Amino acid sequence: APQALSVEQDGIVGHYYQQPANSHKQPVIVLGGSEGGIPTKLAKVIAENGHPTLAVAYFKADTLPKELEKIPLTYFEKATAWLQQKHPAQKHITLVGWSKGAELALLLASRDNAFDRVIAIAPSSVVWAGILDDWQTVPGSSWSHNKKGLPFVAFNPTGPVEGLLDLYTQSLQNRTDGGSATIPVENIRGNVVLYSGGMDEIWPSSSMAASICERMIENERSRCKHIDYPELDHLLDYKMLNASEDLYKHFVNSIAGKQ
């Protein structure tokens, strides 16, 4: 397996998995979820399949914010520029994210045409409120630009809440953002592959993925494919990390652009 090099430049915190110089596979940025830190588990699988891979932490690591709230998008612009400098011959970058990282991957690709391929596991169709350790504190937006939080769907249940899925589902039904928090996926220039589990216990990723593809149909310069596994959970039982699983093969092919 390729060795991971620590990246500590321009404030970026991550691991870079280098490939031999003759490898022509498209470079990949990997974004983890609300667990925070560097998403090595997901990145290793991609690197083992020959892609130059940058696994980027965006909170809960070194110099980064301790919690997932108002994370500046300029941070990811720096990470993208860093990877582009490493691979000047490659015009495009692939984004792979799961959970909050899937929300982020779709958001970044909607703002930057450098990303022509997005693989989003348990995705979100909207920008959500951040996630704070103290549930008594009302979080602002998960992401920010020019020090301002992006429009977001606030946690806004109207009745009793039974778990996270119920919280996110009720909040989607009670949106007060007037649609401004919907990720403009129609701006993505490239292919999007969405994976969801019908037994997702965190948020309604299956229905949100369906709405992402619906929005993207209006744009002929992009393609959206949604693969739903009715019996799997939020992180699809980690089957995309296990070489003996069909989902792994599908996942690896989608990163290579064979979907």
Side-chain angles (χ1 to χ4, degrees):
Q3 287 300 300
L5 310 168
S6 280
V7 180
E8 286 159 9
Q9 200 182 328
D10 289 342
I12 305 161
V13 178
H15 283 164
Y16 174 62
Y17 300 80
Q18 203 160 356
Q19 298 294 350
N22 61 358
S23 161
H24 296 301
K25 292 199 173 179
Q26 188 158 305
V28 179
I29 289 177
V30 180
L31 303 165
S34 57
E35 71 282 357
I38 301 170
T40 48
K41 219 195 245 183
L42 194 53
K44 274 181 189 152
V45 167
I46 298 165
E48 279 160 10
N49 280 282
H51 295 272
T53 305
L54 177 61
V56 182
Y58 51 92
F59 77 110
K60 241 191 229 174
D62 298 357
T63 50
L64 300 177
K66 291 191 172 37
E67 298 189 292
L68 204 177
E69 187 188 35
K70 297 195 178 124
I71 306 295
L73 295 184
T74 48
Y75 172 78
F76 304 101
E77 288 165 16
K78 285 179 191 165
T80 304
W82 185 91
L83 192 56
Q84 283 170 324
Q85 274 174 333
K86 282 252 179 243
H87 300 275
Q90 292 277 3
K91 284 196 173 65
H92 293 106
I93 291 174
T94 300
L95 275 174
V96 178
W98 67 15
S99 191
K100 286 300 288 189
E103 171 187 327
L104 174 60
L106 290 160
L107 179 64
L108 294 175
S110 75
R111 300 169 71 95
D112 187 347
N113 292 343
F115 306 113
D116 71 337
R117 200 176 294 152
V118 181
I119 289 88
I121 300 156
S124 170
S125 54
V126 301
V127 167
W128 283 102
I131 300 170
L132 302 175
D133 292 337
D134 178 3
W135 280 92
Q136 303 304 307
T137 312
V138 177
S141 182
S142 292
W143 322 108
S144 66
H145 188 58
N146 295 336
K147 298 197 170 124
K148 275 177 59 179
L150 266 54
F152 66 102
V153 176
F155 297 128
N156 186 21
T158 39
V161 171
E162 291 173 28
L164 282 173
L165 177 60
D166 193 22
L167 173 66
Y168 279 105
T169 304
Q170 286 196 43
S171 300
L172 266 184
Q173 287 161 353
N174 302 326
R175 288 174 70 167
T176 55
D177 63 285
S180 62
T182 298
I183 298 168
V185 289
E186 63 277 8
N187 296 340
I188 295 174
R189 299 279 176 267
N191 293 338
V192 172
V193 181
L194 307 169
Y195 292 101
S196 61
M199 304 300 284
D200 192 325
E201 70 290 7
I202 304 293
W203 62 25
S205 58
S206 296
S207 58
M208 290 196 293
S211 74
I212 290 164
C213 279
E214 270 168 38
R215 273 187 90 89
M216 286 186 66
I217 284 168
E218 294 160 28
N219 172 7
E220 281 118 44
R221 281 179 286 189
S222 59
R223 283 210 301 279
C224 186
K225 189 170 185 177
H226 174 206
I227 300 101
D228 188 61
Y229 294 88
E231 74 292 355
L232 297 185
D233 66 14
H234 184 64
L235 292 179
L236 307 181
D237 303 343
Y238 295 101
K239 287 186 186 217
M240 78 294 292
L241 303 183
N242 185 343
S244 64
E245 297 282 353
D246 286 342
L247 174 47
Y248 168 90
K249 294 183 191 79
H250 197 290
F251 175 62
V252 167
N253 281 335
S254 66
I255 294 163
K258 293 174 186 159
Q259 288 297 342

